[in-house]
């Protein structure tokens, strides 16, 4: 056999690469009920005496993103903290969504709530999450596996997540334990759409979400192309009779629906058709949606009312909504931008992937901002169209009622505005799953400082009567909430 003959050489190369490929066998179970149960929802009891609603979105960026978003959580925890309220503003967090590195912090906080803050740094952030991974660029086998579809399977990062954090906890465990709406987002690379680990998605796959390990979703969300092979889900569509919900049908064919929502509806239809989809291949969610925009759009469409995902009772009780997006993206200087030649090889491949993710990040934030502003307007209109009797029924009292007293604060918390020396050091932190302790602590401190310095966050604090410098650094005295006598 002459391996230098082009066709035979190509065939031999493909065979070698396929043999080297790290693959993930589907582990998602068939659905044994008509449809999946709701994972987590904010109940009226949770918000009975709460006029605040805080939502958080954590973007990707490896350990840097996990640590930066953890710093944001620490900043919220330090506000209005007292012996009777050790969780500070974290007690008002009702929704968290995450992608890639940010999905680790999001999933852990969604699962454990404020109690998970203790030990997260020690259990995960300062650990080597690459301990089981093949990641040497000098190893030919690693390169071959990467080129064949991914150098690492779920038995590397996913295994570490279960050992260090989740201990094989499932989405069913999350639903039973948590009152925080938690969205984990990946990317369906075949259909070029976002993939949301939600009951609606798994209904279309005829699969039981409650039995799926949380680590599986996080591993999919963080599966950076080439470094990881896709997480694979099986469509069990031949095992059940899927009926598309009315709200999804309406959204798919509504000309006023966003193209993102229509694409989401179309791909769910394909998941339910065994002639079109047998397996779903998932990679890093940052390639399509770095903030969970699709999840928010789906929740709004699913509600089919002005106030969802809130209940009507919550919609009339709320006075302030804060939505913070933690973006730990870095700015890099490339030597090949100063010369004619390059980039090439791995640098070119990484540049293409990173360009896609950066573009998705900008578009996702803009889309999220538009969705939140539209939601806010809808809720205010709903409130102002209510009669007094209905307000009294939903709210319990007309005392202090002002239908327009609902303020929305949205901001992207990032490196801008931090001390330039700190920013330079942050830009040197690679997108890895292991970092030196000093870089982990730098990213945590940056998340705290960036949050406390954020103008929208400070506007939110002033609107609820916070006194003291919200932009204080470190773990010193926390800003306190001034409550009326």
């Amino acid at each position: 056999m002459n391996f230098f003959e082009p066709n035979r050489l190509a065939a031999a190369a493909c065979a070698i690469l396929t043999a080297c490929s790290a693959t993930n066998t589907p582990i998602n179970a068939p659905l044994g009920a008509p449809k999946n149960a709701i994972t987590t929802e904010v109940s009226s009891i949770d918000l009975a005496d709460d006029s605040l609603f805080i939502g958080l979105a954590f973007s990707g960026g490896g350990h840097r993103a996990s640590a930066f978003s953890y710093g944001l959580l620490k900043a919220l925890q330090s506000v209005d903290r007292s012996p009777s309220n050790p969780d500070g503003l974290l007690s008002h967090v009702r929704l968290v969504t995450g992608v890639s590195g940010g999905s680790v912090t999001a999933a852990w906080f969604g699962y454990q709530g404020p109690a998970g803050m203790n030990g997260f740094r020690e259990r995960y952030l300062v650990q080597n999450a690459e301990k089981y991974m093949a990641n040497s660029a000098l190893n030919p086998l690693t390169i071959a596996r990467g080129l064949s579809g991914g150098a690492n399977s779920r038995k590397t990062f996913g295994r570490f997540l279960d050992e260090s954090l989740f201990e094989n906890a499932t989405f069913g465990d999350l639903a039973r334990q948590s009152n925080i709406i938690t969205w984990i987002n990946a990317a369906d690379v075949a259909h070029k759409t976002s993939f949301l680990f939600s009951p609606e998605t798994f209904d279309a796959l005829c699969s039981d979400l409650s039995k799926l390990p949380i680590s599986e979703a996080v591993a999919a969300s963080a599966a950076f192309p080439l470094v990881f092979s896709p997480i694979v889900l099986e469509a069990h569509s031949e095992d059940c009779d899927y009926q598309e919900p009315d709200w999804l049908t309406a959204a798919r064919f509504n000309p006023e629906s966003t193209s993102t929502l229509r694409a989401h509806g179309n791909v769910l239809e394909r998941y339910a058709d065994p002639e079109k989809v047998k397996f779903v291949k998932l990679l890093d969610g940052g390639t399509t949606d770095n903030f969970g925009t699709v999840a928010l759009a789906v929740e709004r469409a699913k509600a089919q009312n002005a106030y969802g995902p809130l209940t009507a009772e919550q919609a009339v009780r709320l006075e302030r909504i804060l939505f913070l997006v933690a973006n730990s993206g870095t700015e890099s200087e490339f030597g090949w931008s100063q010369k004619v030649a390059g980039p090439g090889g791995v640098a070119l491949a990484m540049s293409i992937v990173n360009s896609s993710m950066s573009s998705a990040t900008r578009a996702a934030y803009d889309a999220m901002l538009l969705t939140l502003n539209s939601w806010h307007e809808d809720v205010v209109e709903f409130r102002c169209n209510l009669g007094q009797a209905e307000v009294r029924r939903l709210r319990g009292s007309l005392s202090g009622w002002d239908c327009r007293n609902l303020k929305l604060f949205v901001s992207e918390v990032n490196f801008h505005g931090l001390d330039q020396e700190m920013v330079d050091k942050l830009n040197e932190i690679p997108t890895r799953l292991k970092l030196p302790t000093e870089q982990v602590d730098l990213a945590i401190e940056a998340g705290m400082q960036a949050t406390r310095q954020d103008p929208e966050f400070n506007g939110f604090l002033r609107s609820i009567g916070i006194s003291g410098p919200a932009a204080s650094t470190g773990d010193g005295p926390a800003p306190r909430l001034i409550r009326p006598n």
Side-chain angles (χ1 to χ4, degrees):
M1 180 182 294
N2 181 5
F3 281 99
F4 290 97
E5 187 176 339
N7 289 339
R8 292 184 178 181
L9 179 62
C14 288
I16 293 172
L17 291 177
T18 300
C20 292
S21 175
T23 57
N24 291 308
T25 303
I27 64 171
N28 58 305
L31 181 62
K35 63 179 182 178
N36 282 278
I38 295 174
T39 50
T40 306
E41 61 180 347
V42 181
S43 69
S44 299
I45 296 175
D46 293 328
L47 284 181
D49 299 312
D50 198 347
S51 62
L52 307 181
F53 183 103
I54 298 178
L56 305 173
F58 301 150
S59 74
H63 262 30
R64 184 186 64 249
S66 300
F68 186 78
S69 53
Y70 176 66
L72 183 151
L73 291 173
K74 283 177 67 69
L76 294 181
Q77 188 179 45
S78 70
V79 176
D80 195 34
R81 193 174 188 180
S82 66
S84 62
N85 180 32
D87 300 325
L89 288 180
L90 290 185
S91 60
H92 303 283
V93 175
R94 303 299 177 189
L95 183 154
V96 62
T97 178
V99 177
S100 193
S103 71
V104 182
T105 312
W108 180 244
F109 184 78
Y111 175 51
Q112 290 287 342
M117 294 291 290
N118 295 328
F120 181 68
R121 175 186 176 277
E122 290 69 26
R123 295 179 63 174
Y124 179 74
L125 294 177
V126 298
Q127 300 299 321
N128 177 14
E130 298 179 8
K131 64 184 296 184
Y132 301 120
M133 289 173 54
N135 54 14
S136 173
L138 301 179
N139 187 334
L141 182 59
T142 300
I143 296 174
R145 284 179 172 175
L147 293 175
S148 69
N152 296 277
S153 70
R154 72 158 62 86
K155 295 179 181 179
T156 57
F157 184 49
R159 173 185 174 185
F160 179 83
L161 288 171
D162 272 325
E163 288 180 355
S164 63
L165 291 176
F166 297 107
E167 300 176 340
N168 299 311
T170 66
F171 276 87
D173 296 323
L174 188 153
R176 287 185 288 272
Q177 176 170 308
S178 176
N179 65 351
I180 300 172
I181 298 172
T182 306
W183 297 330
I184 305 301
N185 308 269
D188 179 339
V189 292
H191 296 97
K192 308 176 186 67
T193 58
S194 296
F195 183 95
L196 174 62
F197 284 83
S198 70
E200 291 75 28
T201 304
F202 276 69
D203 283 347
L205 291 171
C206 291
S207 181
D208 191 342
L209 177 60
S210 70
K211 295 181 180 179
L212 191 77
I214 299 172
S215 61
E216 183 83 344
V218 176
S221 181
F224 194 85
L226 303 183
V227 178
F228 293 98
S229 55
I231 293 294
V232 182
L233 300 178
E234 184 175 358
H236 298 283
S237 48
E238 295 179 345
D239 299 331
C240 71
D241 183 20
Y242 171 69
Q243 299 294 323
E244 183 177 87
D246 292 341
W247 68 264
L248 184 56
T249 304
R252 286 175 54 228
F253 294 103
N254 183 355
E256 295 184 0
S257 295
T258 65
S259 59
T260 297
L261 187 58
R262 289 197 297 272
H264 179 73
N266 289 335
V267 79
L268 293 191
E269 181 184 33
R270 293 181 66 87
Y271 289 167
D273 187 342
E275 297 298 320
K276 295 179 179 178
V277 175
K278 294 185 181 299
F279 300 98
V280 180
K281 310 294 178 68
L282 303 177
L283 283 172
D284 195 309
T287 59
T288 54
D289 175 11
N290 216 12
F291 295 131
T293 309
V294 170
L296 188 60
V298 167
E299 286 299 312
R300 289 292 298 122
K302 184 174 68 173
Q304 294 185 297
N305 57 44
Y307 43 81
L310 302 173
T311 66
E313 290 87 349
Q314 294 155 13
V316 299
R317 291 170 178 159
L318 283 180
E319 296 181 0
R320 299 292 181 268
I321 299 173
L322 173 67
F323 209 102
L324 294 179
V325 174
N327 183 2
S328 63
T330 58
E331 296 181 359
S332 302
E333 294 294 335
F334 298 101
W336 40 261
S337 64
Q338 302 295 322
K339 56 186 179 182
V340 173
V346 175
L348 176 61
M350 291 297 98
S351 177
I352 292 171
V353 173
N354 288 327
S355 295
S356 172
M357 289 186 172
S358 295
S359 177
T361 296
R362 293 189 292 269
Y365 181 75
D366 290 343
M368 177 174 284
L369 187 60
L370 289 172
T371 301
L372 287 170
N373 283 329
S374 176
W375 177 48
H376 173 249
E377 292 174 358
D378 290 345
V379 174
V380 170
E381 182 178 2
F382 162 76
R383 287 157 57 110
C384 291
N385 285 332
L386 293 174
Q388 289 189 350
E390 185 67 1
V391 172
R392 185 182 292 106
R393 184 185 71 83
L394 294 172
R395 190 169 176 265
S397 168
L398 291 176
S399 176
W401 169 245
D402 179 355
C403 68
R404 298 195 174 279
N405 184 27
L406 178 62
K407 308 300 181 185
L408 171 67
F409 299 84
V410 186
S411 188
E412 180 182 351
V413 179
N414 51 42
F415 298 164
H416 300 302
L418 295 175
D419 177 81
Q420 188 58 49
E421 182 179 355
M422 174 180 277
V423 173
D424 291 341
K425 292 180 179 180
L426 289 167
N427 284 331
E428 294 175 357
I429 300 178
T431 303
R432 296 284 300 268
L433 295 175
K434 68 171 183 178
L435 294 173
T437 300
E438 58 269 22
Q439 288 189 333
V440 169
D441 290 336
L442 176 67
I444 293 173
E445 178 63 25
M448 295 174 65
Q449 286 193 29
T451 304
R452 288 168 169 167
Q453 294 174 7
D454 185 79
E456 280 287 298
F457 180 57
N458 279 281
F460 166 79
L461 295 182
R462 288 191 296 270
S463 77
I464 61 174
I466 289 290
S467 66
S472 63
T473 59
D475 293 316
R480 297 300 306 278
L481 177 62
I482 301 176
R483 293 185 175 89
N485 293 328

